[in-house]
Amino acid sequence: MSRISEAFKNNKVFIPFITGGDPDIETTRKILYALNEAGAGIIEIGIPFSDPIAEGPVIQEASQRALEAGTTTDSLFELVKEVRSDIKIPILFMTYANVVFKYGADKFADRCNECGIDGMIIPDIPYEEKAEFTDICKAHDISFISMIAPTSKDRVQMIAKEAEGFIYCVSSMGVTGVRSDFSNNLDEMIKSVREVTDVPVAIGFGISTPEQAAKMAALSDGAIVGSAIVRIIAEHGTNAPAAVKEYVTKMVQAIK
Amino acid sequence: MSVGRYGEFGGQYVPETLMNAIHELEEAYEHYSHDPDFIAELDKLNKEYAGRPSILYYAEKMTKDLGGAKIYLKREDLNHTGSHKINNVLGQVLLAKKMGKTRVIAETGAGQHGVATATAAALMGMECEIFMGREDTVRQALNVYRMELLGAKVHAVTTGTETLKDAVNEAMREWSKRVDDTLYVLGSVMGPHPFPMIVRDFQSVIGKEIKSQLMEKEGKLPDMVVACVGGGSNAMGSFYEFIPDESVKLVGCEAAGLGVDNPKNAATIANGSLGIFHGMKSLFCQNEYGQIAPVYSISAGLDYPGIGPEHANLHKTGRATYVPITDEEAVKAFEYLSRVEGIIPAIESAHAVAHVMKVAGSMSKDDIIVCTISGRGDKDVAAIARYRGVEIYE
């Protein structure tokens, strides 16, 4: 059983997202330990990209800070490799197609294996374009996480049938960022997924409060929170690890 | 599975949220592009509103002065709104209307596509919002006011390099927030399929007219067609009709800014490498980690780090040639055409004129070059004055 399936076994999973290298690699290292200690089920690390078209302002700014601090794909691979002996939960990379493509998808997957990355989330690779990445992921035993959105409609089952690891269910229209309104067809989407696969579903985009996380996790198998954490990091800078730990601990409690 | 490919280039690399929207567009285009009523309506708009066909003008003085090939200028600058952008926009906004959309959004660099979109939206009674890099809103302040005059809302984009690439990012983000009533009217032969195909088809009227007009005047095909390339819509529109005519050399002129060896350039073919960005696999200016490079050109319309996928393929197969033109060469051509022919070209189009100035003299007097003047230069006058040290503000 993969580490990702293990994480979802008999458990609602809290999945925090942070932008790797924001504000610097050393703080990211401490935040990874903080997330692990706070009870995160899976960690998503964003490899910063110059033009993140699926992100709202909070993660856009974090990406820019990380790039300005000199963060590279290689520095994040090294970081994960170093923390892997202590942190046993699944770690995913979230980034944009060009970052993986330019690095060389094969070489990227080799490095994932070497450093202990369990999967990747690439929002600008939809179902129609995934083959050139999924073939390589399969050969390396890495989960390529599929996304479904409120606009997916007749595409949900097609995507779900080929999904691996877990399905990332986008809670609402638009880009990432804290919000108060979510799509009203989440229930239906998840029911539709369940008809064709046992792969777990986690809901993300816009979640920030323990109440929202509890509600989303109740609808599905887990909740993904990015912008709310990245905002804490933006506020606290190198002092962020303690504040992140406190926040994530509350969120983990809320979904249990 | 993957569609909209030109060799290895193209595709549909967009977030899942937008997939059904681009499929809906694909289906609507497939339907209406074969619908005689739609074709007739668009034809009427092109003729009676945009002023098509545009003139194919024999530049006699320029021809004599350069002393070689006979030079014709395809005058897209004479279209309503002052550039070729109207060709695409009338098609896409009409399509949006047929699809039942009530709002259009668009990115713009120099402001020409924004102005054209705002114009078509005003004409067809659609709500319109334009995304423009903050730096470009300063460089092209007059166009911002023009768009507002036409009833559009202009958003100054303050992320990244604050230019065309960031305007595209923001327009894509906006579209993913609101797809039901909104069509993203993309301005160039770029982005995810079906945009490169739709924009090329609507712009191909340029090349079709060149062919028939030149046949009438000279009874033969041109030897060379020259156009400037940012994303590449006026070039694709000029080239497309001639792709099967192998005797016709196709030359795209890209913006080399301060020079291809200087970091301040936007010459994608000269300096770019294969990547995936803005919905397409194509060539992009980027670093070793795939971070998109902050490009530069004096021309806001060519200040883009990528190129349309069909151009990337024409380059790879060798069917078209792409040459870099520096700011200085473009400004000289801008001044030259103004003085010699009394035509002030857009600084974008001046990149194409600059190439003609380089090659015409060494070609035979029997050869014919057609150079597309994609837009008029009124919008650039103040910026060129400043480039020459004259402090004029609009």
Side-chain angles (χ1 to χ4, degrees):
Chain A
M1 186 179 275
S2 78
R3 269 197 289 235
I4 295 175
S5 323
E6 196 75 48
F8 281 98
K9 213 173 141 195
N10 311 318
N11 240 340
K12 298 280 184 186
V13 180
F14 183 74
I15 307 174
F17 166 93
I18 57 165
T19 298
D22 168 36
D24 55 50
I25 290 283
E26 275 320 298
T27 308
T28 298
R29 182 194 312 273
K30 290 176 194 151
I31 293 170
L32 291 175
Y33 281 98
L35 294 172
N36 189 44
E37 287 158 18
I42 296 173
I43 296 173
E44 229 188 271
I45 302 173
I47 303 177
F49 179 51
S50 53
D51 297 86
I53 58 150
E55 314 297 347
V58 171
I59 296 176
Q60 284 177 45
E61 284 160 19
S63 307
Q64 209 153 347
R65 282 194 300 272
L67 289 172
E68 277 161 15
T71 308
T72 65
T73 307
D74 282 321
S75 62
L76 290 173
F77 271 126
E78 281 310 307
L79 173 64
V80 173
K81 195 175 171 183
E82 285 161 23
V83 302
R84 246 325 175 194
S85 50
D86 301 318
I87 299 176
K88 304 297 183 193
I89 57 175
I91 299 178
L92 310 177
F93 269 156
M94 182 272 159
T95 192
Y96 286 79
N98 203 45
V99 171
V100 180
F101 182 79
K102 180 70 179 170
Y103 197 88
D106 244 314
K107 188 177 148 203
F108 191 91
D110 283 342
R111 292 282 277 150
C112 285
N113 282 161
E114 185 195 333
C115 303
I117 291 289
D118 299 276
M120 56 178 100
I121 304 174
I122 311 178
D124 55 345
I125 299 290
Y127 178 86
E128 282 77 356
E129 301 291 354
K130 74 185 170 82
E132 83 180 275
F133 293 86
T134 48
D135 290 351
I136 291 167
C137 284
K138 277 201 183 85
H140 287 78
D141 205 17
I142 297 163
S143 298
F144 183 92
I145 307 299
S146 298
M147 303 178 94
I148 55 174
T151 46
S152 297
K153 294 174 186 156
D154 53 337
R155 297 168 52 83
V156 168
Q157 294 199 336
M158 169 184 90
I159 294 167
K161 276 180 197 162
E162 295 183 18
E164 286 176 30
F166 68 90
I167 292 166
Y168 190 132
C169 174
V170 175
S171 72
S172 35
M173 297 296 291
V175 292
T176 57
V178 171
R179 66 196 77 194
S180 53
D181 290 327
F182 298 92
S183 170
N184 51 20
N185 66 357
L186 291 172
D187 238 346
E188 217 173 291
M189 279 164 77
I190 289 160
K191 215 166 92 191
S192 176
V193 169
R194 305 277 199 228
E195 281 172 17
V196 295
T197 181
D198 298 329
V199 173
V201 184
I203 303 177
F205 273 44
I207 303 169
S208 65
T209 66
E211 295 72 35
Q212 288 170 338
K215 195 173 154 208
M216 293 302 153
L219 277 175
S220 66
D221 303 299
I224 306 164
V225 173
S227 296
I229 296 172
V230 173
R231 206 165 56 181
I232 293 172
I233 297 169
E235 273 167 30
H236 297 263
T238 50
N239 295 319
V244 168
K245 188 174 173 183
E246 190 190 330
Y247 172 78
V248 172
T249 304
K250 259 193 295 183
M251 297 295 274
V252 170
Q253 286 305 321
I255 68 162
K256 271 189 175 155
Chain B
M1 286 303 108
S2 184
V3 293
R5 291 279 172 174
Y6 308 91
E8 68 187 301
F9 308 102
Q12 297 181 303
Y13 299 90
V14 294
E16 172 59 23
T17 305
L18 288 176
M19 281 309 287
N20 264 331
I22 64 175
H23 285 161
E24 183 194 357
L25 175 62
E26 221 176 317
E27 281 161 25
Y29 180 68
E30 175 61 26
H31 173 77
Y32 287 108
S33 62
H34 296 101
D35 173 29
D37 291 342
F38 180 87
I39 295 168
E41 205 174 334
L42 182 58
D43 196 51
K44 190 175 172 201
L45 284 170
N46 274 330
K47 287 198 176 96
E48 293 177 16
Y49 188 71
R52 300 214 71 85
S54 69
I55 291 167
L56 184 69
Y57 166 73
Y58 171 43
E60 195 176 353
K61 276 185 75 194
M62 189 177 171
T63 299
K64 281 191 179 136
D65 183 58
L66 296 173
K70 208 166 176 184
I71 300 159
Y72 280 88
L73 304 177
K74 180 61 173 165
R75 300 288 308 276
E76 291 298 302
D77 56 316
L78 296 177
N79 297 339
H80 181 41
T81 74
S83 82
H84 71 291
K85 293 293 186 188
I86 194 77
N87 306 333
N88 166 45
V89 153
L90 287 175
Q92 277 200 61
V93 178
L94 185 62
L95 185 61
K97 189 145 183 131
K98 299 282 178 197
M99 290 167 74
K101 306 290 179 189
T102 55
R103 175 177 176 256
V104 289
I105 58 171
E107 85 293 346
T108 196
Q112 296 302 84
H113 176 57
V115 166
T117 307
T119 299
L123 177 70
M124 298 184 213
M126 311 275 273
E127 201 186 323
C128 178
E129 291 185 36
I130 303 295
F131 295 84
M132 186 171 188
R134 195 203 55 86
E135 190 178 317
D136 293 337
T137 63
V138 175
R139 287 197 276 195
Q140 304 286 352
L142 206 55
N143 270 341
V144 174
Y145 194 75
R146 201 169 274 147
M147 288 182 269
E148 287 167 351
L149 203 56
L150 292 159
K153 185 171 178 195
V154 181
H155 300 274
V157 175
T158 57
T159 54
T161 53
E162 304 187 343
T163 60
L164 180 54
K165 138 186 108 78
D166 311 283
V168 175
N169 292 346
E170 220 40 55
M172 280 192 171
R173 289 181 185 123
E174 176 61 28
W175 199 26
S176 74
K177 286 177 196 161
R178 206 169 142 186
V179 292
D180 285 347
D181 67 345
T182 301
L183 182 68
Y184 178 13
V185 175
L186 235 160
S188 194
V189 286
M190 44 154 293
H193 176 74
F195 286 111
M197 173 183 78
I198 291 178
V199 179
R200 178 249 282 155
D201 287 356
F202 287 143
Q203 290 295 0
S204 65
V205 64
I206 303 173
K208 283 180 194 147
E209 286 178 7
I210 292 174
K211 196 179 235 180
S212 67
Q213 289 168 322
L214 197 66
M215 208 44 94
E216 207 170 280
K217 288 175 194 286
E218 299 277 351
K220 62 175 193 168
L221 291 172
D223 296 279
M224 184 186 281
V225 177
V226 184
C228 64
V229 181
S233 71
N234 93 82
M236 206 60 231
S238 301
F239 294 174
Y240 190 60
E241 180 70 16
F242 295 105
I243 290 174
D245 304 315
E246 286 184 14
S247 66
V248 183
K249 268 194 85 175
L250 306 173
V251 183
C253 303
E254 50 177 14
L258 302 186
V260 286
D261 300 325
N262 188 299
K264 296 196 87 173
N265 77 81
T268 309
I269 295 276
N271 289 332
S273 58
L274 192 61
I276 297 170
F277 182 49
H278 280 165
M280 58 186 172
K281 186 178 277 183
S282 191
L283 299 169
F284 298 96
C285 296
Q286 55 180 324
N287 75 7
E288 57 173 317
Y289 287 108
Q291 305 295 343
I292 303 301
V295 293
Y296 162 82
S297 163
I298 189 171
S299 143
L302 305 183
D303 197 354
Y304 182 70
I307 189 166
E310 197 165 4
H311 280 297
N313 195 44
L314 289 175
H315 164 67
K316 190 170 180 188
T317 59
R319 180 62 191 93
T321 310
Y322 296 83
V323 296
I325 300 292
T326 64
D327 281 2
E328 179 62 23
E329 289 169 330
V331 170
K332 279 189 175 145
F334 179 91
E335 293 166 338
Y336 177 85
L337 197 68
S338 303
R339 220 171 38 241
V340 175
E341 290 289 349
I343 296 169
I344 303 176
I347 188 65
E348 289 77 17
S349 322
H351 285 70
V353 175
H355 183 69
V356 174
M357 289 165 67
K358 283 185 191 178
V359 301
S362 58
M363 288 168 72
S364 151
K365 289 194 163 137
D366 297 330
D367 286 343
I368 295 171
I369 300 177
V370 176
C371 176
T372 300
I373 305 299
S374 56
R376 67 176 180 225
D378 312 42
K379 68 179 179 57
D380 299 307
V381 171
I384 301 302
R386 291 198 293 276
Y387 181 86
R388 288 300 188 210
V390 183
E391 288 296 314
I392 298 176
Y393 287 87
E394 287 150 347

